[in-house]
PDB file of all heavy atoms in Angstrom:
ATOM      1  N   ALA D 881     -12.664  21.351  -7.005  1.00 97.00           N
ATOM      2  CA  ALA D 881     -13.241  20.002  -6.938  1.00 97.00           C
ATOM      3  C   ALA D 881     -12.183  18.964  -7.322  1.00 97.00           C
ATOM      4  O   ALA D 881     -12.079  17.909  -6.685  1.00 97.00           O
ATOM      5  CB  ALA D 881     -14.453  19.900  -7.860  1.00 97.00           C
ATOM      6  N   MET D 882     -11.378  19.270  -8.328  1.00 97.00           N
ATOM      7  CA  MET D 882     -10.331  18.348  -8.747  1.00 97.00           C
ATOM      8  C   MET D 882      -9.282  18.197  -7.646  1.00 97.00           C
ATOM      9  O   MET D 882      -8.809  17.088  -7.385  1.00 97.00           O
ATOM     10  CB  MET D 882      -9.661  18.852 -10.028  1.00 97.00           C
ATOM     11  CG  MET D 882      -8.680  17.855 -10.628  1.00 97.00           C
ATOM     12  SD  MET D 882      -7.806  18.472 -12.081  1.00 97.00           S
ATOM     13  CE  MET D 882      -9.144  18.895 -13.160  1.00 97.00           C
ATOM     14  N   ASP D 883      -8.939  19.290  -6.990  1.00 96.00           N
ATOM     15  CA  ASP D 883      -7.980  19.212  -5.873  1.00 96.00           C
ATOM     16  C   ASP D 883      -8.504  18.308  -4.765  1.00 96.00           C
ATOM     17  O   ASP D 883      -7.754  17.514  -4.198  1.00 96.00           O
ATOM     18  CB  ASP D 883      -7.696  20.611  -5.307  1.00 96.00           C
ATOM     19  CG  ASP D 883      -6.756  21.419  -6.177  1.00 96.00           C
ATOM     20  OD1 ASP D 883      -6.073  20.819  -7.040  1.00 96.00           O
ATOM     21  OD2 ASP D 883      -6.698  22.651  -6.000  1.00 96.00           O
ATOM     22  N   ARG D 884      -9.801  18.429  -4.455  1.00 96.00           N
ATOM     23  CA  ARG D 884     -10.381  17.571  -3.415  1.00 96.00           C
ATOM     24  C   ARG D 884     -10.315  16.103  -3.820  1.00 96.00           C
ATOM     25  O   ARG D 884      -9.980  15.236  -3.012  1.00 96.00           O
ATOM     26  CB  ARG D 884     -11.816  17.998  -3.115  1.00 96.00           C
ATOM     27  CG  ARG D 884     -11.920  19.286  -2.305  1.00 96.00           C
ATOM     28  CD  ARG D 884     -13.338  19.543  -1.842  1.00 96.00           C
ATOM     29  NE  ARG D 884     -14.279  19.706  -2.927  1.00 96.00           N
ATOM     30  CZ  ARG D 884     -14.518  20.855  -3.560  1.00 96.00           C
ATOM     31  NH1 ARG D 884     -13.861  21.941  -3.211  1.00 96.00           N
ATOM     32  NH2 ARG D 884     -15.408  20.921  -4.545  1.00 96.00           N
ATOM     33  N   ARG D 885     -10.633  15.832  -5.104  1.00 96.00           N
ATOM     34  CA  ARG D 885     -10.561  14.442  -5.582  1.00 96.00           C
ATOM     35  C   ARG D 885      -9.134  13.925  -5.534  1.00 96.00           C
ATOM     36  O   ARG D 885      -8.889  12.780  -5.149  1.00 96.00           O
ATOM     37  CB  ARG D 885     -11.106  14.345  -7.005  1.00 96.00           C
ATOM     38  CG  ARG D 885     -12.617  14.327  -7.035  1.00 96.00           C
ATOM     39  CD  ARG D 885     -13.137  14.067  -8.435  1.00 96.00           C
ATOM     40  NE  ARG D 885     -13.936  15.227  -8.797  1.00 96.00           N
ATOM     41  CZ  ARG D 885     -13.892  15.853  -9.947  1.00 96.00           C
ATOM     42  NH1 ARG D 885     -13.114  15.437 -10.910  1.00 96.00           N
ATOM     43  NH2 ARG D 885     -14.648  16.893 -10.159  1.00 96.00           N
ATOM     44  N   LEU D 886      -8.174  14.757  -5.918  1.00 96.00           N
ATOM     45  CA  LEU D 886      -6.771  14.334  -5.887  1.00 96.00           C
ATOM     46  C   LEU D 886      -6.303  14.082  -4.457  1.00 96.00           C
ATOM     47  O   LEU D 886      -5.524  13.148  -4.218  1.00 96.00           O
ATOM     48  CB  LEU D 886      -5.881  15.376  -6.564  1.00 96.00           C
ATOM     49  CG  LEU D 886      -5.986  15.443  -8.091  1.00 96.00           C
ATOM     50  CD1 LEU D 886      -5.171  16.610  -8.627  1.00 96.00           C
ATOM     51  CD2 LEU D 886      -5.537  14.149  -8.728  1.00 96.00           C
ATOM     52  N   ASP D 887      -6.780  14.902  -3.517  1.00 95.00           N
ATOM     53  CA  ASP D 887      -6.435  14.658  -2.108  1.00 95.00           C
ATOM     54  C   ASP D 887      -6.959  13.294  -1.663  1.00 95.00           C
ATOM     55  O   ASP D 887      -6.281  12.557  -0.957  1.00 95.00           O
ATOM     56  CB  ASP D 887      -7.010  15.763  -1.212  1.00 95.00           C
ATOM     57  CG  ASP D 887      -6.283  17.093  -1.389  1.00 95.00           C
ATOM     58  OD1 ASP D 887      -5.154  17.091  -1.934  1.00 95.00           O
ATOM     59  OD2 ASP D 887      -6.844  18.126  -0.980  1.00 95.00           O
ATOM     60  N   GLY D 888      -8.174  12.957  -2.090  1.00 95.00           N
ATOM     61  CA  GLY D 888      -8.740  11.654  -1.752  1.00 95.00           C
ATOM     62  C   GLY D 888      -7.938  10.517  -2.380  1.00 95.00           C
ATOM     63  O   GLY D 888      -7.687   9.489  -1.743  1.00 95.00           O
ATOM     64  N   ILE D 889      -7.514  10.713  -3.611  1.00 96.00           N
ATOM     65  CA  ILE D 889      -6.711   9.684  -4.287  1.00 96.00           C
ATOM     66  C   ILE D 889      -5.363   9.519  -3.590  1.00 96.00           C
ATOM     67  O   ILE D 889      -4.887   8.399  -3.404  1.00 96.00           O
ATOM     68  CB  ILE D 889      -6.524  10.048  -5.780  1.00 96.00           C
ATOM     69  CG1 ILE D 889      -7.853   9.893  -6.513  1.00 96.00           C
ATOM     70  CG2 ILE D 889      -5.445   9.186  -6.427  1.00 96.00           C
ATOM     71  CD1 ILE D 889      -7.841  10.438  -7.930  1.00 96.00           C
ATOM     72  N   GLU D 890      -4.758  10.631  -3.183  1.00 95.00           N
ATOM     73  CA  GLU D 890      -3.477  10.552  -2.476  1.00 95.00           C
ATOM     74  C   GLU D 890      -3.622   9.775  -1.169  1.00 95.00           C
ATOM     75  O   GLU D 890      -2.753   8.970  -0.815  1.00 95.00           O
ATOM     76  CB  GLU D 890      -2.936  11.953  -2.206  1.00 95.00           C
ATOM     77  CG  GLU D 890      -2.389  12.648  -3.438  1.00 95.00           C
ATOM     78  CD  GLU D 890      -1.963  14.082  -3.167  1.00 95.00           C
ATOM     79  OE1 GLU D 890      -2.148  14.567  -2.030  1.00 95.00           O
ATOM     80  OE2 GLU D 890      -1.463  14.709  -4.109  1.00 95.00           O
ATOM     81  N   ALA D 891      -4.726   9.999  -0.463  1.00 95.00           N
ATOM     82  CA  ALA D 891      -4.960   9.263   0.789  1.00 95.00           C
ATOM     83  C   ALA D 891      -5.132   7.772   0.504  1.00 95.00           C
ATOM     84  O   ALA D 891      -4.587   6.927   1.233  1.00 95.00           O
ATOM     85  CB  ALA D 891      -6.198   9.818   1.503  1.00 95.00           C
ATOM     86  N   GLN D 892      -5.868   7.447  -0.555  1.00 96.00           N
ATOM     87  CA  GLN D 892      -6.046   6.038  -0.915  1.00 96.00           C
ATOM     88  C   GLN D 892      -4.718   5.405  -1.328  1.00 96.00           C
ATOM     89  O   GLN D 892      -4.451   4.244  -1.001  1.00 96.00           O
ATOM     90  CB  GLN D 892      -7.060   5.908  -2.048  1.00 96.00           C
ATOM     91  CG  GLN D 892      -8.475   6.235  -1.622  1.00 96.00           C
ATOM     92  CD  GLN D 892      -9.444   6.230  -2.796  1.00 96.00           C
ATOM     93  OE1 GLN D 892      -9.042   6.158  -3.946  1.00 96.00           O
ATOM     94  NE2 GLN D 892     -10.727   6.313  -2.493  1.00 96.00           N
ATOM     95  N   LEU D 893      -3.890   6.146  -2.045  1.00 96.00           N
ATOM     96  CA  LEU D 893      -2.577   5.624  -2.437  1.00 96.00           C
ATOM     97  C   LEU D 893      -1.695   5.369  -1.219  1.00 96.00           C
ATOM     98  O   LEU D 893      -0.954   4.380  -1.178  1.00 96.00           O
ATOM     99  CB  LEU D 893      -1.881   6.580  -3.403  1.00 96.00           C
ATOM    100  CG  LEU D 893      -2.392   6.570  -4.837  1.00 96.00           C
ATOM    101  CD1 LEU D 893      -1.718   7.675  -5.651  1.00 96.00           C
ATOM    102  CD2 LEU D 893      -2.161   5.228  -5.484  1.00 96.00           C
ATOM    103  N   ALA D 894      -1.784   6.253  -0.225  1.00 96.00           N
ATOM    104  CA  ALA D 894      -1.003   6.051   0.999  1.00 96.00           C
ATOM    105  C   ALA D 894      -1.449   4.757   1.695  1.00 96.00           C
ATOM    106  O   ALA D 894      -0.611   3.973   2.158  1.00 96.00           O
ATOM    107  CB  ALA D 894      -1.162   7.256   1.931  1.00 96.00           C
ATOM    108  N   GLU D 895      -2.755   4.534   1.758  1.00 96.00           N
ATOM    109  CA  GLU D 895      -3.270   3.296   2.363  1.00 96.00           C
ATOM    110  C   GLU D 895      -2.818   2.082   1.558  1.00 96.00           C
ATOM    111  O   GLU D 895      -2.425   1.051   2.131  1.00 96.00           O
ATOM    112  CB  GLU D 895      -4.797   3.330   2.427  1.00 96.00           C
ATOM    113  CG  GLU D 895      -5.359   4.301   3.439  1.00 96.00           C
ATOM    114  CD  GLU D 895      -6.883   4.348   3.397  1.00 96.00           C
ATOM    115  OE1 GLU D 895      -7.502   3.402   2.861  1.00 96.00           O
ATOM    116  OE2 GLU D 895      -7.440   5.335   3.892  1.00 96.00           O
ATOM    117  N   LEU D 896      -2.864   2.188   0.243  1.00 97.00           N
ATOM    118  CA  LEU D 896      -2.439   1.086  -0.618  1.00 97.00           C
ATOM    119  C   LEU D 896      -0.958   0.775  -0.422  1.00 97.00           C
ATOM    120  O   LEU D 896      -0.569  -0.389  -0.335  1.00 97.00           O
ATOM    121  CB  LEU D 896      -2.717   1.439  -2.079  1.00 97.00           C
ATOM    122  CG  LEU D 896      -2.382   0.384  -3.122  1.00 97.00           C
ATOM    123  CD1 LEU D 896      -3.184  -0.888  -2.879  1.00 97.00           C
ATOM    124  CD2 LEU D 896      -2.640   0.921  -4.518  1.00 97.00           C
ATOM    125  N   ARG D 897      -0.144   1.812  -0.304  1.00 96.00           N
ATOM    126  CA  ARG D 897       1.292   1.605  -0.068  1.00 96.00           C
ATOM    127  C   ARG D 897       1.531   0.893   1.261  1.00 96.00           C
ATOM    128  O   ARG D 897       2.385   0.006   1.352  1.00 96.00           O
ATOM    129  CB  ARG D 897       2.026   2.940  -0.087  1.00 96.00           C
ATOM    130  CG  ARG D 897       2.219   3.501  -1.461  1.00 96.00           C
ATOM    131  CD  ARG D 897       3.078   4.760  -1.436  1.00 96.00           C
ATOM    132  NE  ARG D 897       3.115   5.364  -2.742  1.00 96.00           N
ATOM    133  CZ  ARG D 897       2.604   6.541  -3.049  1.00 96.00           C
ATOM    134  NH1 ARG D 897       2.021   7.274  -2.121  1.00 96.00           N
ATOM    135  NH2 ARG D 897       2.685   7.001  -4.284  1.00 96.00           N
ATOM    136  N   GLN D 898       0.782   1.285   2.288  1.00 96.00           N
ATOM    137  CA  GLN D 898       0.922   0.619   3.589  1.00 96.00           C
ATOM    138  C   GLN D 898       0.530  -0.847   3.482  1.00 96.00           C
ATOM    139  O   GLN D 898       1.206  -1.727   4.024  1.00 96.00           O
ATOM    140  CB  GLN D 898       0.059   1.321   4.644  1.00 96.00           C
ATOM    141  CG  GLN D 898       0.577   2.669   5.059  1.00 96.00           C
ATOM    142  CD  GLN D 898      -0.389   3.385   5.997  1.00 96.00           C
ATOM    143  OE1 GLN D 898      -1.522   2.960   6.186  1.00 96.00           O
ATOM    144  NE2 GLN D 898       0.077   4.478   6.585  1.00 96.00           N
ATOM    145  N   GLY D 899      -0.561  -1.104   2.776  1.00 96.00           N
ATOM    146  CA  GLY D 899      -1.007  -2.487   2.601  1.00 96.00           C
ATOM    147  C   GLY D 899       0.014  -3.305   1.821  1.00 96.00           C
ATOM    148  O   GLY D 899       0.304  -4.452   2.169  1.00 96.00           O
ATOM    149  N   LEU D 900       0.588  -2.723   0.778  1.00 97.00           N
ATOM    150  CA  LEU D 900       1.600  -3.434  -0.004  1.00 97.00           C
ATOM    151  C   LEU D 900       2.871  -3.673   0.801  1.00 97.00           C
ATOM    152  O   LEU D 900       3.499  -4.733   0.667  1.00 97.00           O
ATOM    153  CB  LEU D 900       1.926  -2.651  -1.277  1.00 97.00           C
ATOM    154  CG  LEU D 900       0.844  -2.667  -2.359  1.00 97.00           C
ATOM    155  CD1 LEU D 900       1.228  -1.740  -3.503  1.00 97.00           C
ATOM    156  CD2 LEU D 900       0.614  -4.075  -2.859  1.00 97.00           C
ATOM    157  N   ALA D 901       3.246  -2.725   1.645  1.00 96.00           N
ATOM    158  CA  ALA D 901       4.426  -2.905   2.498  1.00 96.00           C
ATOM    159  C   ALA D 901       4.192  -4.054   3.480  1.00 96.00           C
ATOM    160  O   ALA D 901       5.078  -4.890   3.700  1.00 96.00           O
ATOM    161  CB  ALA D 901       4.747  -1.612   3.244  1.00 96.00           C
ATOM    162  N   ALA D 902       2.993  -4.117   4.050  1.00 96.00           N
ATOM    163  CA  ALA D 902       2.665  -5.214   4.981  1.00 96.00           C
ATOM    164  C   ALA D 902       2.658  -6.549   4.244  1.00 96.00           C
ATOM    165  O   ALA D 902       3.186  -7.550   4.746  1.00 96.00           O
ATOM    166  CB  ALA D 902       1.311  -4.953   5.640  1.00 96.00           C
ATOM    167  N   LEU D 903       2.096  -6.588   3.042  1.00 97.00           N
ATOM    168  CA  LEU D 903       2.072  -7.807   2.246  1.00 97.00           C
ATOM    169  C   LEU D 903       3.490  -8.246   1.885  1.00 97.00           C
ATOM    170  O   LEU D 903       3.829  -9.431   1.971  1.00 97.00           O
ATOM    171  CB  LEU D 903       1.236  -7.598   0.981  1.00 97.00           C
ATOM    172  CG  LEU D 903       1.119  -8.775   0.029  1.00 97.00           C
ATOM    173  CD1 LEU D 903       0.423  -9.946   0.723  1.00 97.00           C
ATOM    174  CD2 LEU D 903       0.361  -8.360  -1.224  1.00 97.00           C
ATOM    175  N   SER D 904       4.313  -7.293   1.508  1.00 97.00           N
ATOM    176  CA  SER D 904       5.704  -7.601   1.174  1.00 97.00           C
ATOM    177  C   SER D 904       6.440  -8.187   2.370  1.00 97.00           C
ATOM    178  O   SER D 904       7.206  -9.154   2.234  1.00 97.00           O
ATOM    179  CB  SER D 904       6.408  -6.331   0.690  1.00 97.00           C
ATOM    180  OG  SER D 904       7.754  -6.587   0.413  1.00 97.00           O
ATOM    181  N   ALA D 905       6.195  -7.650   3.555  1.00 96.00           N
ATOM    182  CA  ALA D 905       6.831  -8.176   4.769  1.00 96.00           C
ATOM    183  C   ALA D 905       6.368  -9.607   5.033  1.00 96.00           C
ATOM    184  O   ALA D 905       7.173 -10.472   5.409  1.00 96.00           O
ATOM    185  CB  ALA D 905       6.505  -7.276   5.966  1.00 96.00           C
ATOM    186  N   ARG D 906       5.090  -9.894   4.842  1.00 97.00           N
ATOM    187  CA  ARG D 906       4.571 -11.259   5.036  1.00 97.00           C
ATOM    188  C   ARG D 906       5.200 -12.224   4.036  1.00 97.00           C
ATOM    189  O   ARG D 906       5.581 -13.346   4.398  1.00 97.00           O
ATOM    190  CB  ARG D 906       3.059 -11.280   4.882  1.00 97.00           C
ATOM    191  CG  ARG D 906       2.333 -10.670   6.031  1.00 97.00           C
ATOM    192  CD  ARG D 906       0.836 -10.730   5.824  1.00 97.00           C
ATOM    193  NE  ARG D 906       0.173  -9.941   6.847  1.00 97.00           N
ATOM    194  CZ  ARG D 906      -1.043  -9.455   6.701  1.00 97.00           C
ATOM    195  NH1 ARG D 906      -1.720  -9.668   5.593  1.00 97.00           N
ATOM    196  NH2 ARG D 906      -1.585  -8.754   7.665  1.00 97.00           N
ATOM    197  N   ILE D 907       5.284 -11.794   2.776  1.00 97.00           N
ATOM    198  CA  ILE D 907       5.897 -12.650   1.749  1.00 97.00           C
ATOM    199  C   ILE D 907       7.355 -12.925   2.091  1.00 97.00           C
ATOM    200  O   ILE D 907       7.832 -14.052   1.948  1.00 97.00           O
ATOM    201  CB  ILE D 907       5.745 -12.004   0.353  1.00 97.00           C
ATOM    202  CG1 ILE D 907       4.284 -12.044  -0.076  1.00 97.00           C
ATOM    203  CG2 ILE D 907       6.627 -12.697  -0.678  1.00 97.00           C
ATOM    204  CD1 ILE D 907       3.977 -11.266  -1.348  1.00 97.00           C
ATOM    205  N   ASP D 908       8.060 -11.898   2.556  1.00 97.00           N
ATOM    206  CA  ASP D 908       9.464 -12.089   2.963  1.00 97.00           C
ATOM    207  C   ASP D 908       9.566 -13.136   4.071  1.00 97.00           C
ATOM    208  O   ASP D 908      10.447 -14.004   4.040  1.00 97.00           O
ATOM    209  CB  ASP D 908      10.079 -10.770   3.426  1.00 97.00           C
ATOM    210  CG  ASP D 908      10.322  -9.794   2.278  1.00 97.00           C
ATOM    211  OD1 ASP D 908      10.278 -10.233   1.108  1.00 97.00           O
ATOM    212  OD2 ASP D 908      10.546  -8.592   2.558  1.00 97.00           O
ATOM    213  N   ARG D 909       8.667 -13.053   5.058  1.00 97.00           N
ATOM    214  CA  ARG D 909       8.690 -14.033   6.151  1.00 97.00           C
ATOM    215  C   ARG D 909       8.400 -15.442   5.645  1.00 97.00           C
ATOM    216  O   ARG D 909       9.018 -16.413   6.076  1.00 97.00           O
ATOM    217  CB  ARG D 909       7.697 -13.640   7.243  1.00 97.00           C
ATOM    218  CG  ARG D 909       8.260 -12.561   8.165  1.00 97.00           C
ATOM    219  CD  ARG D 909       7.310 -12.258   9.296  1.00 97.00           C
ATOM    220  NE  ARG D 909       6.815 -10.913   8.985  1.00 97.00           N
ATOM    221  CZ  ARG D 909       5.576 -10.489   9.105  1.00 97.00           C
ATOM    222  NH1 ARG D 909       4.653 -11.281   9.585  1.00 97.00           N
ATOM    223  NH2 ARG D 909       5.233  -9.267   8.787  1.00 97.00           N
ATOM    224  N   ILE D 910       7.470 -15.572   4.728  1.00 97.00           N
ATOM    225  CA  ILE D 910       7.141 -16.895   4.161  1.00 97.00           C
ATOM    226  C   ILE D 910       8.342 -17.458   3.402  1.00 97.00           C
ATOM    227  O   ILE D 910       8.693 -18.633   3.553  1.00 97.00           O
ATOM    228  CB  ILE D 910       5.902 -16.794   3.241  1.00 97.00           C
ATOM    229  CG1 ILE D 910       4.650 -16.527   4.077  1.00 97.00           C
ATOM    230  CG2 ILE D 910       5.728 -18.055   2.403  1.00 97.00           C
ATOM    231  CD1 ILE D 910       3.422 -16.175   3.258  1.00 97.00           C
ATOM    232  N   VAL D 911       8.986 -16.616   2.605  1.00 97.00           N
ATOM    233  CA  VAL D 911      10.156 -17.066   1.832  1.00 97.00           C
ATOM    234  C   VAL D 911      11.276 -17.500   2.778  1.00 97.00           C
ATOM    235  O   VAL D 911      11.913 -18.549   2.568  1.00 97.00           O
ATOM    236  CB  VAL D 911      10.630 -15.970   0.852  1.00 97.00           C
ATOM    237  CG1 VAL D 911      11.983 -16.312   0.256  1.00 97.00           C
ATOM    238  CG2 VAL D 911       9.596 -15.752  -0.247  1.00 97.00           C
ATOM    239  N   ILE D 912      11.499 -16.725   3.811  1.00 97.00           N
ATOM    240  CA  ILE D 912      12.543 -17.081   4.790  1.00 97.00           C
ATOM    241  C   ILE D 912      12.193 -18.407   5.478  1.00 97.00           C
ATOM    242  O   ILE D 912      13.049 -19.286   5.636  1.00 97.00           O
ATOM    243  CB  ILE D 912      12.739 -15.946   5.812  1.00 97.00           C
ATOM    244  CG1 ILE D 912      13.389 -14.740   5.136  1.00 97.00           C
ATOM    245  CG2 ILE D 912      13.577 -16.406   6.999  1.00 97.00           C
ATOM    246  CD1 ILE D 912      13.413 -13.479   5.981  1.00 97.00           C
ATOM    247  N   ALA D 913      10.942 -18.578   5.875  1.00 96.00           N
ATOM    248  CA  ALA D 913      10.509 -19.813   6.543  1.00 96.00           C
ATOM    249  C   ALA D 913      10.669 -21.012   5.609  1.00 96.00           C
ATOM    250  O   ALA D 913      11.157 -22.077   6.030  1.00 96.00           O
ATOM    251  CB  ALA D 913       9.071 -19.686   7.011  1.00 96.00           C
ATOM    252  N   GLN D 914      10.296 -20.852   4.354  1.00 97.00           N
ATOM    253  CA  GLN D 914      10.449 -21.956   3.396  1.00 97.00           C
ATOM    254  C   GLN D 914      11.920 -22.279   3.157  1.00 97.00           C
ATOM    255  O   GLN D 914      12.301 -23.453   3.081  1.00 97.00           O
ATOM    256  CB  GLN D 914       9.778 -21.611   2.059  1.00 97.00           C
ATOM    257  CG  GLN D 914       8.279 -21.708   2.095  1.00 97.00           C
ATOM    258  CD  GLN D 914       7.653 -21.353   0.754  1.00 97.00           C
ATOM    259  OE1 GLN D 914       8.283 -20.724  -0.102  1.00 97.00           O
ATOM    260  NE2 GLN D 914       6.409 -21.773   0.563  1.00 97.00           N
ATOM    261  N   THR D 915      12.739 -21.251   3.045  1.00 97.00           N
ATOM    262  CA  THR D 915      14.175 -21.474   2.840  1.00 97.00           C
ATOM    263  C   THR D 915      14.763 -22.223   4.020  1.00 97.00           C
ATOM    264  O   THR D 915      15.545 -23.184   3.841  1.00 97.00           O
ATOM    265  CB  THR D 915      14.903 -20.125   2.632  1.00 97.00           C
ATOM    266  OG1 THR D 915      14.302 -19.435   1.535  1.00 97.00           O
ATOM    267  CG2 THR D 915      16.378 -20.334   2.368  1.00 97.00           C
TER     268      THR D 915
END
């Protein structure tokens, strides 16, 4: 049961990393545009 929960957490972390990477790219574009 713990392994199944950890697999679910790993999947959520992967989604979170993708979301943070996309957010970071947007912030980079905003900073470049402002500069």
